[in-house]
Amino acid sequence: QPSKKSNNRSTGKLMAIIALIPVIIFFVVRRWNPKKLHTMKNSEPEFTTNLEDRIEAAKLVKSLEGSKKQSKSSFRPINQVKIAEGANKYVLISAQESGSSTVKYFVTSKKNASYHRDAAQPFAKSLQEHGYENIKITGGGRILLDTEAKLISIYGFSYSFGAGDHEMSKSVVQKDEKYLDYVINVS
């Protein structure tokens, strides 16, 4: 008969393995895409947000708070979706057309952006130049655009801006004519 001590060790090992199953499933589901399996390993550079990036992101947010109100005649609409091919950092931005109380949302990513502010800054500047007001970066994450597979995956979060509302991002992207026939996943 096995001793109580060895039985407890076996039970402990089994419990440890069972505890790892959700973690393994999480990583498999998040990373595995059979159509892109051969490129996924090297397609997503990993960067860690540092203090300097957080300071620069805070400066960007502060600069947007002071957005000047433009005259209605200087307002020019801008496309609500601008995403780059591949897996990249993205941000969700809210803004109002000049003289309107209606809030619009914008989804933008930038190829090889080291930080989320690198994706946010040029788009926010463009919104300002086009006459949008009350511009706010509401959050971010990662967005994978695979035009060949007609697939978009929205996931993750931004250390500098917080987690983006991925469902809202999906809704914005789904309305863009370019992506009407794409499968859009959110996790």
Side-chain angles (χ1 to χ4, degrees), residues 18-85:
I18 290 171
L20 285 174
I21 290 173
V23 174
I24 293 167
I25 290 170
F26 172 80
F27 282 108
V28 169
V29 169
R30 293 272 306 230
R31 299 297 248 161
W32 187 69
N33 176 347
K35 294 184 179 178
K36 295 296 266 185
L37 189 59
H38 63 283
T39 61
M40 283 301 275
K41 288 179 186 167
N42 298 320
S43 68
E44 243 184 277
E46 296 296 326
F47 296 95
T48 303
T49 298
N50 57 30
L51 181 59
E52 179 186 353
D53 174 59
R54 288 186 181 203
I55 291 169
E56 291 302 315
K59 285 180 186 176
L60 174 60
V61 168
K62 187 78 173 157
S63 74
L64 294 175
E65 288 174 5
S67 295
K68 294 180 185 174
K69 296 212 175 216
Q70 307 272 334
S71 70
K72 197 137 175 113
S73 62
S74 67
F75 175 77
R76 298 178 324 268
I78 190 170
N79 193 338
Q80 289 179 258
V81 179
K82 183 180 180 186
I83 52 179
E85 178 77 21

Side-chain angles (χ1 to χ4, degrees), residues 87-103:
N88 298 290
K89 293 189 171 155
Y90 95 93
V91 290
L92 177 65
I93 300 175
S94 68
Q96 293 172 298
E97 293 179 6
S98 181
S100 171
S101 62
T102 304
V103 175

Side-chain angles (χ1 to χ4, degrees), residues 2-11:
S3 71
K4 253 186 171 176
K5 203 175 198 179
S6 71
N7 196 16
N8 285 343
R9 268 192 236 141
S10 297
T11 304

